[in-house]
Amino acid sequence: MRLPGHPHPRLPLPLAGQDEDMDAFLTWLGEAIPLVRHLGIRAMRWEGEALVWELALSPSLNDKGTGFGGALTAQATLLGWCWTTLWLRRQGRAQDVVVAEAGQRFLAPVSGDYRLVCRPERYDGPVQLAERLAAKGRGRLALVQQLWCGDTLCLEARGDYAVLP
């Protein structure tokens, strides 16, 4: 059982040249952040520079039978944290990541299972982050998340994620 004030042990970095085991990462994430086990994440994968989650709606239902905005916002924020953390791990870096700023716009109700897609706000964002990390050991990256229910864009979110020294 996790206790407040006690950090969870880090997941070992993948060996150089090896891809991240996404199932192992999700298992670790559910141990590190117990809420994750209740989010309905079915799958996680990279699609180019985008990190994608497939999610079941049932754990995030509201009183109207659609997606609860607070749960959807938490998922978008956490997906950005995962993008940044996994990107760092690809670089062989084990650094802490925190969300510094986040916001969202709700565009349509979420009425079925959905997917969340996260990517850098700017195509050169990861390159700039790598340069800041090399120079200062810390940096910040802007990410955007989109929630799709079928072909309908239901939520757009943006977050700044800080990489701590």
Side-chain angles (χ1 to χ4, degrees), residues 37-41 55-61 68 71 75 113-114:
R37 295 183 216 133
H38 307 284
L39 295 180
I41 303 168
L55 297 111
L57 175 59
S58 57
S60 300
L61 284 172
F68 173 59
Q75 291 166 355
D113 294 347
Y114 53 98

Side-chain angles (χ1 to χ4, degrees), residues 12-56:
L13 289 170
L15 298 174
Q18 281 190 335
D19 289 334
E20 187 82 43
D21 179 339
M22 297 302 244
D23 291 333
F25 182 82
L26 272 176
T27 298
W28 172 84
L29 190 63
E31 295 165 358
I33 304 171
L35 176 65
V36 168
R37 295 183 216 133
H38 307 284
L39 295 180
I41 303 168
R42 292 181 169 168
M44 178 171 66
R45 67 183 176 280
W46 286 103
E47 290 182 2
E49 286 295 309
L51 185 60
V52 179
W53 277 356
E54 300 288 340
L55 297 111

Side-chain angles (χ1 to χ4, degrees), residues 12-147:
L13 289 170
L15 298 174
Q18 281 190 335
D19 289 334
E20 187 82 43
D21 179 339
M22 297 302 244
D23 291 333
F25 182 82
L26 272 176
T27 298
W28 172 84
L29 190 63
E31 295 165 358
I33 304 171
L35 176 65
V36 168
R37 295 183 216 133
H38 307 284
L39 295 180
I41 303 168
R42 292 181 169 168
M44 178 171 66
R45 67 183 176 280
W46 286 103
E47 290 182 2
E49 286 295 309
L51 185 60
V52 179
W53 277 356
E54 300 288 340
L55 297 111
L57 175 59
S58 57
S60 300
L61 284 172
N62 65 16
D63 58 319
K64 296 160 205 61
T66 59
F68 173 59
L72 304 176
T73 298
Q75 291 166 355
T77 302
L78 182 59
L79 181 59
W81 182 92
C82 287
W83 192 103
T84 308
T85 298
L86 288 166
W87 181 86
L88 286 167
R89 291 172 60 77
R90 282 180 167 177
Q91 314 308 307
R93 301 182 79 106
Q95 289 181 253
D96 287 327
V97 175
V98 296
V99 61
E101 185 178 338
Q104 65 282 327
R105 290 184 327 137
F106 295 93
L107 305 169
V110 177
S111 56
D113 294 347
Y114 53 98
R115 71 186 180 287
L116 266 169
V117 180
C118 179
R119 61 179 44 93
E121 184 175 63
R122 295 175 42 135
Y123 75 92
D124 61 344
V127 171
Q128 290 180 353
L129 176 59
E131 290 170 356
R132 283 190 296 274
L133 290 171
K136 297 184 178 189
R138 60 184 165 85
R140 205 163 163 158
L141 177 66
L143 298 171
V144 293
Q145 299 89 14
Q146 294 182 319
L147 186 153

